[in-house]
Short mmCIF file of all heavy atoms in Angstrom, two decimals:
data_model
loop_
_atom_site.label_atom_id
_atom_site.label_comp_id
_atom_site.label_asym_id
_atom_site.label_seq_id
_atom_site.Cartn_x
_atom_site.Cartn_y
_atom_site.Cartn_z
N THR A 112 0.52 -8.90 -11.41
CA THR A 112 1.47 -8.95 -12.51
C THR A 112 2.47 -10.10 -12.33
O THR A 112 2.88 -10.73 -13.30
CB THR A 112 2.30 -7.64 -12.63
OG1 THR A 112 3.00 -7.38 -11.42
CG2 THR A 112 1.40 -6.45 -12.95
N HIS A 113 2.83 -10.44 -11.07
CA HIS A 113 3.79 -11.55 -10.85
C HIS A 113 3.00 -12.85 -10.42
O HIS A 113 3.63 -13.90 -10.42
CB HIS A 113 4.92 -11.18 -9.88
CG HIS A 113 4.48 -10.49 -8.63
ND1 HIS A 113 3.95 -11.20 -7.52
CD2 HIS A 113 4.57 -9.22 -8.23
CE1 HIS A 113 3.73 -10.33 -6.57
NE2 HIS A 113 4.04 -9.11 -6.97
N HIS A 114 1.74 -12.71 -10.03
CA HIS A 114 0.99 -13.93 -9.69
C HIS A 114 -0.39 -13.87 -10.40
O HIS A 114 -1.44 -13.85 -9.77
CB HIS A 114 0.80 -14.04 -8.17
CG HIS A 114 1.99 -14.55 -7.49
ND1 HIS A 114 3.12 -13.81 -7.27
CD2 HIS A 114 2.26 -15.77 -7.03
CE1 HIS A 114 4.05 -14.56 -6.63
NE2 HIS A 114 3.58 -15.73 -6.53
N PRO A 115 -0.35 -13.94 -11.72
CA PRO A 115 -1.59 -13.82 -12.48
C PRO A 115 -2.48 -15.07 -12.44
O PRO A 115 -3.71 -14.91 -12.57
CB PRO A 115 -1.16 -13.59 -13.97
CG PRO A 115 0.22 -14.28 -13.98
CD PRO A 115 0.76 -14.06 -12.62
N VAL A 116 -1.92 -16.22 -12.18
CA VAL A 116 -2.76 -17.42 -12.17
C VAL A 116 -3.19 -17.71 -10.73
O VAL A 116 -4.39 -17.92 -10.50
CB VAL A 116 -1.87 -18.67 -12.64
CG1 VAL A 116 -2.71 -19.93 -12.60
CG2 VAL A 116 -1.46 -18.38 -14.12
N SER A 117 -2.26 -17.76 -9.75
CA SER A 117 -2.59 -17.99 -8.37
C SER A 117 -1.51 -17.53 -7.45
O SER A 117 -0.32 -17.68 -7.74
CB SER A 117 -2.83 -19.49 -8.15
OG SER A 117 -2.94 -19.77 -6.80
N GLY A 118 -1.95 -17.03 -6.32
CA GLY A 118 -1.02 -16.65 -5.25
C GLY A 118 -0.37 -17.87 -4.63
O GLY A 118 0.63 -17.78 -3.92
N GLY A 119 -0.95 -19.03 -4.86
CA GLY A 119 -0.43 -20.27 -4.34
C GLY A 119 0.65 -20.85 -5.12
O GLY A 119 1.24 -21.91 -4.71
N LEU A 120 0.91 -20.34 -6.30
CA LEU A 120 1.97 -20.89 -7.19
C LEU A 120 3.17 -19.95 -7.14
O LEU A 120 3.01 -18.76 -6.87
CB LEU A 120 1.51 -20.96 -8.63
CG LEU A 120 0.40 -21.93 -9.03
CD1 LEU A 120 -0.02 -21.76 -10.47
CD2 LEU A 120 0.91 -23.40 -8.80
N TYR A 121 4.37 -20.52 -7.39
CA TYR A 121 5.53 -19.71 -7.46
C TYR A 121 5.56 -18.91 -8.72
O TYR A 121 4.93 -19.30 -9.75
CB TYR A 121 6.83 -20.56 -7.50
CG TYR A 121 7.16 -21.21 -6.17
CD1 TYR A 121 7.00 -22.53 -5.95
CD2 TYR A 121 7.56 -20.46 -5.07
CE1 TYR A 121 7.28 -23.22 -4.76
CE2 TYR A 121 7.86 -20.99 -3.87
CZ TYR A 121 7.68 -22.40 -3.72
OH TYR A 121 7.95 -22.93 -2.52
N PHE A 122 6.21 -17.72 -8.71
CA PHE A 122 6.29 -16.90 -9.92
C PHE A 122 6.85 -17.68 -11.10
O PHE A 122 6.38 -17.65 -12.25
CB PHE A 122 7.24 -15.74 -9.62
CG PHE A 122 7.70 -14.95 -10.84
CD1 PHE A 122 6.76 -14.28 -11.69
CD2 PHE A 122 9.03 -14.90 -11.19
CE1 PHE A 122 7.18 -13.55 -12.82
CE2 PHE A 122 9.45 -14.24 -12.31
CZ PHE A 122 8.54 -13.55 -13.15
N GLU A 123 7.87 -18.51 -10.78
CA GLU A 123 8.54 -19.32 -11.84
C GLU A 123 7.57 -20.29 -12.49
O GLU A 123 7.79 -20.71 -13.63
CB GLU A 123 9.68 -20.15 -11.20
CG GLU A 123 10.90 -19.31 -10.81
CD GLU A 123 10.72 -18.40 -9.67
OE1 GLU A 123 9.81 -18.60 -8.82
OE2 GLU A 123 11.43 -17.35 -9.58
N ASP A 124 6.46 -20.60 -11.82
CA ASP A 124 5.46 -21.55 -12.45
C ASP A 124 4.38 -20.83 -13.21
O ASP A 124 3.45 -21.44 -13.74
CB ASP A 124 4.78 -22.34 -11.34
CG ASP A 124 5.81 -23.26 -10.63
OD1 ASP A 124 6.78 -23.68 -11.28
OD2 ASP A 124 5.65 -23.47 -9.44
N GLN A 125 4.50 -19.49 -13.34
CA GLN A 125 3.45 -18.74 -14.04
C GLN A 125 4.04 -17.60 -14.87
O GLN A 125 3.43 -16.52 -15.02
CB GLN A 125 2.31 -18.19 -13.10
CG GLN A 125 2.83 -17.62 -11.82
CD GLN A 125 1.67 -17.44 -10.80
OE1 GLN A 125 0.57 -17.11 -11.15
NE2 GLN A 125 2.01 -17.66 -9.48
N LYS A 126 5.29 -17.83 -15.29
CA LYS A 126 6.03 -16.73 -15.98
C LYS A 126 5.37 -16.26 -17.29
O LYS A 126 5.27 -15.04 -17.51
CB LYS A 126 7.49 -17.18 -16.21
CG LYS A 126 8.45 -16.72 -15.16
CD LYS A 126 9.86 -16.99 -15.66
CE LYS A 126 10.85 -16.57 -14.65
NZ LYS A 126 12.19 -16.86 -15.09
N PRO A 127 4.99 -17.18 -18.23
CA PRO A 127 4.42 -16.67 -19.45
C PRO A 127 3.13 -15.81 -19.19
O PRO A 127 3.01 -14.72 -19.75
CB PRO A 127 4.08 -17.93 -20.20
CG PRO A 127 4.94 -19.00 -19.66
CD PRO A 127 5.13 -18.68 -18.21
N ALA A 128 2.29 -16.30 -18.26
CA ALA A 128 1.05 -15.45 -17.98
C ALA A 128 1.47 -14.16 -17.32
O ALA A 128 0.90 -13.12 -17.60
CB ALA A 128 0.14 -16.29 -17.06
N ALA A 129 2.55 -14.19 -16.52
CA ALA A 129 3.00 -12.97 -15.82
C ALA A 129 3.48 -11.95 -16.80
O ALA A 129 3.21 -10.75 -16.69
CB ALA A 129 4.10 -13.30 -14.77
N ARG A 130 4.18 -12.43 -17.84
CA ARG A 130 4.66 -11.49 -18.84
C ARG A 130 3.54 -10.78 -19.56
O ARG A 130 3.60 -9.56 -19.77
CB ARG A 130 5.53 -12.24 -19.89
CG ARG A 130 6.98 -12.25 -19.51
CD ARG A 130 7.91 -12.57 -20.64
NE ARG A 130 9.07 -13.30 -20.15
CZ ARG A 130 9.18 -14.63 -20.10
NH1 ARG A 130 8.21 -15.35 -20.66
NH2 ARG A 130 10.22 -15.16 -19.55
N ARG A 131 2.53 -11.54 -19.91
CA ARG A 131 1.35 -10.98 -20.60
C ARG A 131 0.63 -10.01 -19.73
O ARG A 131 0.25 -8.88 -20.11
CB ARG A 131 0.35 -12.05 -21.07
CG ARG A 131 0.89 -12.90 -22.24
CD ARG A 131 -0.22 -13.74 -22.78
NE ARG A 131 -1.27 -12.94 -23.47
CZ ARG A 131 -2.38 -13.43 -23.86
NH1 ARG A 131 -2.72 -14.71 -23.71
NH2 ARG A 131 -3.28 -12.64 -24.44
N ARG A 132 0.45 -10.46 -18.49
CA ARG A 132 -0.30 -9.58 -17.49
C ARG A 132 0.48 -8.29 -17.23
O ARG A 132 -0.14 -7.20 -17.15
CB ARG A 132 -0.51 -10.37 -16.23
CG ARG A 132 -1.26 -9.71 -15.17
CD ARG A 132 -2.77 -9.69 -15.56
NE ARG A 132 -3.54 -8.87 -14.60
CZ ARG A 132 -4.44 -9.36 -13.75
NH1 ARG A 132 -4.71 -10.63 -13.74
NH2 ARG A 132 -5.07 -8.56 -12.90
N ALA A 133 1.79 -8.43 -17.06
CA ALA A 133 2.60 -7.23 -16.74
C ALA A 133 2.58 -6.26 -17.94
O ALA A 133 2.58 -5.00 -17.73
CB ALA A 133 4.05 -7.67 -16.40
N GLU A 134 2.64 -6.77 -19.16
CA GLU A 134 2.58 -5.89 -20.30
C GLU A 134 1.28 -5.14 -20.33
O GLU A 134 1.27 -3.87 -20.57
CB GLU A 134 2.79 -6.63 -21.61
CG GLU A 134 2.87 -5.69 -22.80
CD GLU A 134 3.10 -6.38 -24.08
OE1 GLU A 134 3.14 -7.69 -24.16
OE2 GLU A 134 3.15 -5.68 -25.14
N ALA A 135 0.17 -5.74 -20.13
CA ALA A 135 -1.18 -5.13 -20.16
C ALA A 135 -1.19 -4.11 -18.93
O ALA A 135 -1.75 -3.01 -19.09
CB ALA A 135 -2.28 -6.16 -20.04
#
Side-chain angles (χ1 to χ4, degrees):
T112 60
H113 48 79
H114 280 78
V116 180
S117 169
L120 292 173
Y121 289 110
F122 167 64
E123 287 69 24
D124 297 328
Q125 44 193 322
K126 265 191 181 180
R130 270 199 211 95
R131 289 192 67 189
R132 184 73 186 247
E134 185 181 0

